[in-house]
Amino acid sequence: MRTRLPCSASRANSYALWTCHVRQPHRRYATAAPPPPEIYDVVCVGGGPAGLTLLTALRSSPTTSKLKLALIESQDLRSAATWKLPSDQYANRASSITPTSETFLSKIGVWPLVDPTRVQPYHHMRVWDGLDSSSHISFSSLSTPIATMTENPNLQRALLQRLEELAPFSIFSSTKVASIEDGPSSSPDDSLDLSSYPSVTLSSGRTILARLLVGADGLNSPVRTYAGIATRGWDYERHGVVATVKYMGRNKYHGDNSLATAYQRFLPTGPIALLAMPGDYATLVWTTTPDRAAKLKSLAQHDFVALINAAFRLDNVDLDYMSKLDGGHTEELSWRTSVIGVKEDKARIPRLVESAQEGSIASFPLRYRQADSYISSRIALIGDAAHTVHPLAGQGLNMGLADVQSLAKTIEYTVKHGGDIGDEMYLERYNSEMWMQNNRMLGVTDKLHKLYGIGWGPVVNIRSLGLKLVDQLGPVKAWLMKQAGGVGT
């Protein structure tokens, strides 16, 4: 059993800073005994998509619907439940939902509540090498979409709506975790030894106990810190620039958006992708160096848009030159494309981007992280608390949803067999299923990032040949699509 450390939180510069400390013995004086802490079956820290989906799955199952549940979330969930944007605006936090994830969300009653006017399935995908435009791979699936794009707030709102339909549970919204410690040695009536139960003290001063404490609390997970679970990984020294963009009006090269296409080009500094949203909108995810990310965010909108269009059309030498300019990108792109003679062909490149939504341009650092274990006694980690993946495959949220599905099945199995849901022996079913599966995906995305970051000629030639061969091998492409869609993992 791992050594657990008391974990406390303090606020500085508007961020929660988590520190571990060793408590020193001291005397306490009180005129009256505090009320005994309430005991919950499952306490989930983190009200993002992963945490909300877990609670929804547990409430949706007849086997686990009677469990006593609690959710702790530092943000105001009321604003998330009433989230709304105009029809011509989209959140820059969007995710690619695989068919497997969509099936799971449908099973627990969430997907029908997602606003269908704000989701976009895509049936085609084109990926190519930024140093060899002849090296590419294309995927098509006419019967079912490769994946479906949705804004994260759209999904989060649907989850909260679904939870409203189910049996009530305790929600501690706009509440931070002040500390996590081991529980008392006995219950108020001396019938239970609670020393193995995590004791969570909230920012309100209230304390609750958990038979199972679930960390859905992100990269710097205090639940993981309390459990003493280490993580392995590194920072990529890359930032992901995101934005909501609008394409220029449809033309003869670009047909019906009902069969939308996702585009991704691997540049030496990182991949750039345009993922279709409804109508003429798309989500941009551009991996680049921190200095270039800062430069992109500082540009005037028309110059920012010009660089996006350049990134899908120009050779890397031309793009590298344009990236160093402080302005005039629109004119520079127009001149270079006229000289090169770029053809606007949907089979090769996306439509020209016309504009970027005001306030949607943002960036975040990219990291690789994998927890040594997803469980400890009375602890389970899901989503970013367990792993952090490069966004080039669009699998971050899908990995978190797969965690949730596996953990919910594990809890259901334990309840059916009369076991203790916090017992590490039962939780190992979840850990053994998901750790290696996620480790494979983490490894694939990490190696792709590193492989396409190499500009040395022989390596470029070898990877180009490999990509061309895979594109011509139907069975191999079909297998890759199944893996990306979460089938057969």
Side-chain angles (χ1 to χ4, degrees), residues 241-309:
V241 178
V242 295
T244 301
V245 300
K246 184 180 182 181
Y247 287 126
M248 288 185 179
R250 297 191 180 109
N251 55 46
K252 64 180 181 179
Y253 299 108
H254 302 283
D256 189 352
N257 199 42
S258 64
L259 296 180
T261 301
Y263 298 92
Q264 186 172 53
R265 186 186 188 192
F266 278 90
L267 301 169
T269 53
I272 180 172
L274 279 173
L275 306 169
M277 295 298 286
D280 294 321
Y281 296 90
T283 287
L284 168 75
V285 183
W286 189 346
T287 298
T288 189
T289 59
D291 58 329
R292 286 197 179 183
K295 183 73 171 289
L296 284 168
K297 292 190 294 182
S298 70
L299 294 174
Q301 187 188 119
H302 60 275
D303 288 327
F304 176 76
V305 166
L307 270 180
I308 297 172
N309 290 324

